[in-house]
Amino acid sequence: MEITPKTKIDDLLKTYPQLEAFLMALNPKYKKLKNPVLRRTVAKIATLTQVAKIGGYEPLKLVNLLRGEVGQPPLGEEAEETKKEERAEKPAWADRPPQAVIDANALLEAEKNPLAEASAALRKLQSGEVLRIDSDFLPQPLIDTFQEQGHETYAHEENGAWHTYILKK
């Protein structure tokens, strides 16, 4: 299997199980990969581009680190499928008090699925209401999932904590 920015983390770790320890040594945020719920759920949809953002890496840098570990040659800049995104200004709706707040870290520690819990909380909200997800990592797979569903999102880091806002459409 060739490792690219679009490689799913679950596929990567099934093909190259030795990379689990490498990732965990690379960044403490990747220790969440040990969580069985995360492995059964989010790991199946999360790409290396998303995993890189969680760890604060440029996607191509992380991909090339992993490729190097398994003896694959590095990819060049032209192979990068995602370019660095500009951080958007905080939208006015993100300043409103959220109608629901999810603690993704507590859910993972309780072996619950943050995506399922956030989806359930969002379903209970009315159009125009806000859900906030708090975590110690950027929950890029959740953000991408909610954007694909047509919701607006905004995330920012404050003192090592991430606050992700989802505006229900």
Side-chain angles (χ1 to χ4, degrees):
M1 176 181 89
E2 182 179 14
I3 301 172
T4 72
K6 290 187 175 182
T7 300
K8 303 269 194 250
I9 191 70
D10 187 59
D11 295 337
L12 177 82
L13 297 178
K14 283 180 180 172
T15 304
Y16 303 106
Q18 72 274 21
L19 290 179
E20 181 178 331
F22 176 77
L23 281 166
M24 289 181 197
L26 197 60
N27 189 311
K29 291 182 180 178
Y30 296 146
K31 290 184 178 171
K32 288 177 176 43
L33 290 171
K34 282 279 193 206
N35 182 299
V37 172
L38 186 71
R39 287 293 280 273
R40 286 191 312 268
T41 57
V42 177
K44 292 187 185 308
I45 62 169
T47 65
L48 287 180
T49 294
Q50 295 167 327
V51 170
K53 290 177 184 179
I54 290 168
Y57 290 94
E58 289 296 320
L60 191 59
K61 179 176 171 72
L62 179 63
V63 166
N64 283 335
L65 286 170
L66 294 168
R67 287 175 68 90
E69 281 296 302
V70 299
Q72 294 180 10
L75 296 176
E77 284 295 322
E78 66 280 358
E80 186 172 8
E81 286 124 354
T82 57
K83 297 295 176 193
K84 189 170 184 167
E85 298 172 6
E86 302 245 347
R87 275 272 187 240
E89 293 279 326
K90 187 175 186 180
W93 59 261
D95 283 327
R96 298 194 310 243
Q99 282 66 45
V101 178
I102 301 279
D103 183 337
N105 294 339
L107 290 171
L108 287 170
E109 286 177 23
E111 296 192 0
K112 293 184 178 177
N113 179 347
L115 178 57
E117 298 288 330
S119 293
L122 196 61
R123 279 192 298 276
K124 294 177 184 175
L125 299 182
Q126 301 296 314
S127 179
E129 292 185 326
V130 177
L131 167 68
R132 189 179 80 212
I133 302 170
D134 295 335
S135 58
D136 64 358
F137 60 94
L138 177 64
Q140 193 64 49
L142 277 71
I143 291 169
D144 291 346
T145 297
F146 290 126
Q147 286 176 342
E148 288 168 9
Q149 293 173 359
H151 306 292
E152 289 186 46
T153 65
Y154 172 75
H156 78 275
E157 183 180 20
E158 188 177 314
N159 300 322
W162 281 92
H163 304 289
T164 304
Y165 300 85
I166 294 100
L167 176 66
K168 183 170 181 175
K169 288 296 184 169

